Amino acid sequence: MYLFIISAEVLFWVFVVLGLIARYMFGLKKLGGLLLLCTPIIDILLLIAVFITVSSGMEITTATGLAACYLGITIAFGHRLIKWADVRFSHWFGKGPKPEPKYGAAHAKEERVGWLLHLLGWAIGNALLLAIIVYVDDPQRTASLEGIMRTWAIVLAIDFIVSFSYTLAPKKNKA
């Protein structure tokens, strides 16, 4: 399962980069868009792998839980990551404007939105984890998933503190 998660992450970025190369380096906007639209297929394949693992009676490991986390995060952040990469490719290869770093209130807002997306990813990932726990109905097989849920809640709380700290102490322009 670890290999499948790593492969999913690599394939996500391969499709993003190929889509952006097609769009900006070769001017093939439709092909670029099609390649970018392929990224959700990777999530579906990972979801199928998790379902096979769970329903076949195979051992449920931390990797199974990480797959659920990965799915939650890519669903929540996928569009934002593609947009981030698109802006940079547009600048580097398509004569688009240079992305400007954000400071002050704009940066604080971006951090808060990032945390809200993390919360969404956490909710999706935990819904998947909980669905697996309920479906399997065997506390011994799913103990690692509960540990992941607890750990991720702590990470989410730390991210909240960091993200919202920029509201109280905004990032300043060093120039």
Side-chain angles (χ1 to χ4, degrees):
M1 185 63 70
Y2 287 114
L3 183 60
F4 210 91
I5 297 167
I6 292 167
S7 298
E9 178 69 12
V10 168
L11 282 173
F12 173 85
W13 285 107
V14 165
F15 276 104
V16 169
V17 169
L18 288 176
L20 294 174
I21 286 172
R23 179 181 285 178
Y24 293 111
M25 295 180 80
F26 297 110
L28 303 169
K29 292 188 184 276
K30 288 185 180 179
L31 177 61
L34 181 65
L35 289 166
L36 292 172
L37 283 174
C38 287
T39 56
I41 293 170
I42 298 161
D43 291 343
I44 293 167
L45 292 173
L46 184 58
L47 191 58
I48 290 168
V50 168
F51 178 76
I52 290 169
T53 299
V54 169
S55 63
S56 68
M58 293 172 60
E59 181 183 2
I60 296 174
T61 65
T62 302
T64 309
L66 291 177
C69 297
Y70 173 83
L71 286 165
I73 292 298
T74 58
I75 291 168
F77 281 95
H79 184 265
R80 187 179 197 191
L81 290 171
I82 291 171
K83 185 178 176 183
W84 175 89
D86 188 55
V87 167
R88 277 138 188 88
F89 258 78
S90 172
H91 171 67
W92 296 332
F93 303 110
K95 299 178 184 173
K98 181 179 180 181
E100 295 295 327
K102 294 185 178 174
Y103 301 99
H107 178 259
K109 180 181 178 184
E110 189 171 285
E111 290 291 328
R112 290 189 305 269
V113 169
W115 184 82
L116 289 170
L117 288 172
H118 186 180
L119 177 64
L120 175 62
W122 176 85
I124 293 167
N126 275 286
L128 288 169
L129 290 168
L130 191 57
I132 293 168
I133 290 168
V134 169
Y135 177 78
V136 171
D137 194 28
D138 182 351
Q140 287 183 324
R141 283 185 67 206
T142 59
S144 64
L145 303 183
E146 293 172 11
I148 289 171
M149 293 173 81
R150 283 190 299 273
T151 302
W152 198 359
I154 293 167
V155 170
L156 185 67
I158 292 168
D159 187 26
F160 174 86
I161 293 166
V162 172
S163 297
F164 282 79
S165 72
Y166 289 105
T167 301
L168 301 174
K171 181 179 175 184
K172 294 179 177 28
N173 188 345
K174 296 178 183 174

